Amino acid sequence: MKSYYTVLLIIGITSLIASFLPMVLKKFRMSFTIPLLLIGALMYFLKTPLPWPNPVWDIDITLRFSELVVIISLMVAGLKIGLNYSWNEWKNPLRLIGFTMPLFMLIVFLIAYYLLHFDGPVALLLAAVLAPTDPALASDIQLDKKQKVGSKNVGVQYNLTAEAGLNDSLAFPFVFLAILWSQNDSLGAAEWKEWLWYYLGYKIVIGVIVGVVVGFAYSFFTRKLAQFKRLKIQQAFVALSLTLISYGLAEILDGYGFLSVFLAGLFAHYHQHTKNETIDSDPSLDFITNVEQFLIIFWMIFFGGSLVGGILDFNTIPTLLFGVFLVLIARPLLGYISLYKSGLNTKKKWAIAFFGIRGIGSVFYLTYAIKHGNFEDINYIFSSVAFIILLSIVLHGFTTKRIMPKIDHN
């Protein structure tokens, strides 16, 4: 029984420390995630009674926890962007989705298969889980508030937020392709047919429909209720409710819930945008953002503990070089090329290309695939992905607050 109270004490102390970290770290200009890694490592070393990885993460716990963090982060991203951007302004993040992500996946697959000698399903899985940028750990470089038409950001912050909102969903079909391959000796005509119509077609369409309908329905009904001036909606819980409704409904209908959540966030302000009205029923960004940060704190704690616990031990010199190449060369170069005719200046192009953070979304995809597929070399996959996430967290954590203030003013 005392261990239970010890856990409560640890949670309380850790969350309190994390509350002061942004203020303390302002002088040092680093992300709050880096001290949390160190706290997690220290807590593991002190053998605090928490469910630490041994040495890799527990599949079920990690799957559900990372899933929750990602869907909340996607709602935050959707609510900040809203419907304030034109098609021309959406073209830049779509360049990152349509050019950078597939070419990045191809490079990962070719290196993993031909140079690192992983088998086909594992190489494809690595390509899929490392493709999306992370909507949670990238919060320091994304939009910091709900955008308005007259003062919206169209630079680095907007493009990274929109990219993170979309690519978490669009990497999922390739995770399923890797799962299908792992369950069969090869990808035959039947597997390709199933993948194309169901995983690439049906699930995306359902995800889009559910997200748009949920966001639109919320916007419509709150506009109708706005005529009753004395009735007030409890805004604090709305964003969290929309997250769970859109995600749960999409998954029940076998659609991509990540896509639904992001679109529900976009369309939650539909009538305010199209009717140019101000309605006192906005989903509260403050509440759900605080929930997001609270969950990230403990994800980082466990990740820091897993580093000391040995999750990196299965790496080799080639896999370490592979990770450095992806973070420092492949993503920045492909990102910059995709933005060649974007209209952004050179500094903003390089910043968007450089800040392709890998994180919690990759962990969700990895644990989901391992739970549902039949993959070999699981420990090596975990170790490779963990190193790339660590490299991304440290590199971007030390550079974000130094670079962003000098670049993204609009």
Side-chain angles (χ1 to χ4, degrees), residues 187-220:
L187 290 172
E191 286 75 32
W192 279 110
K193 182 179 179 181
E194 179 185 4
W195 182 74
L196 286 170
W197 84 263
Y198 182 66
Y199 293 106
L200 193 60
Y202 174 84
K203 291 177 77 68
I204 288 179
V205 171
I206 293 299
V208 170
I209 292 174
V210 170
V212 172
V213 168
V214 170
F216 180 88
Y218 168 78
S219 178
F220 175 80

Side-chain angles (χ1 to χ4, degrees), residues 349-369:
K349 290 176 188 175
W350 278 120
I352 294 169
F354 175 71
F355 287 118
I357 296 179
R358 270 56 186 167
I360 302 175
S362 295
V363 173
F364 168 78
Y365 284 132
L366 179 58
T367 50
Y368 184 95

Side-chain angles (χ1 to χ4, degrees), residues 60-79:
D60 291 319
I61 294 176
T62 306
L63 173 65
R64 295 309 172 198
F65 190 72
S66 58
E67 178 182 41
L68 182 61
V69 179
V70 173
I71 62 174
I72 289 176
S73 297
L74 288 170
M75 176 56 69
V76 170
L79 289 172

